């Protein structure tokens, strides 16, 4: 049976964005927590591994990235993987209403 350290290790040593998302979701589910801050007690969510590509201009709600996609906070507060251009369009729409 996996222990918390196994979930944290899977996050720290993820080799792709999708693997990282899966590891973060698994750790979050294992903890049974309702707040991302609770997971941050065990692994620095602001220092998750990245997998290439340029750092986004605005990393608000962006947890990690690769050359083509971003792992972001989704509309339900979950973790979602979106294409960079889709995220840019979403952000442009939010900023237009601000």
């Amino acid at each position: 049976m996996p222990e918390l350290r196994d979930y944290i290790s899977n996050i720290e040593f993820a080799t792709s964005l999708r693997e990282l998302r899966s590891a973060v979701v698994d750790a979050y589910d294992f903890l049974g927590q309702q707040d991302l801050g609770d997971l941050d007690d065990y692994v620095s969510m602001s220092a998750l591994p990245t997998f290439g590509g340029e750092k986004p201009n605005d990393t608000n709600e962006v947890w990690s990235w690769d050359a083509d996609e971003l792992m972001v906070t989704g509309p339900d507060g979950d973790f979602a993987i979106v294409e960079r251009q889709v995220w840019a369009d979403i952000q442009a729409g939010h900023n237009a209403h601000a």
Side-chain angles (χ1 to χ4, degrees):
M1 175 135 192
E3 296 183 20
L4 179 58
R5 70 175 177 250
D6 299 317
Y7 291 102
I8 300 308
S9 179
N10 289 343
I11 291 170
E12 293 172 343
F13 296 105
T15 60
S16 71
L17 189 62
R18 291 183 185 280
E19 187 178 313
L20 175 65
R21 181 196 173 276
S22 179
V24 168
V25 169
D26 289 349
Y28 187 71
D29 289 347
F30 176 80
L31 290 172
Q33 303 295 335
Q34 301 300 311
D35 188 300
L36 291 176
D38 294 326
L39 184 55
D40 204 35
D41 290 342
Y42 303 98
V43 63
S44 178
M45 293 297 291
S46 62
L48 291 175
T50 60
F51 306 95
E54 292 185 29
K55 179 179 179 179
N57 291 334
D58 180 1
T59 58
N60 188 34
E61 298 187 53
V62 176
W63 299 100
S64 183
W65 57 86
D66 65 16
D68 302 313
E69 298 175 311
L70 308 169
M71 185 174 85
V72 301
T73 303
D76 297 327
D78 56 352
F79 296 98
I81 301 238
V82 298
E83 293 178 7
R84 285 174 174 263
Q85 187 57 54
V86 170
W87 185 250
D89 293 346
I90 290 169
Q91 293 307 100
H94 285 226
N95 291 336
H97 296 32

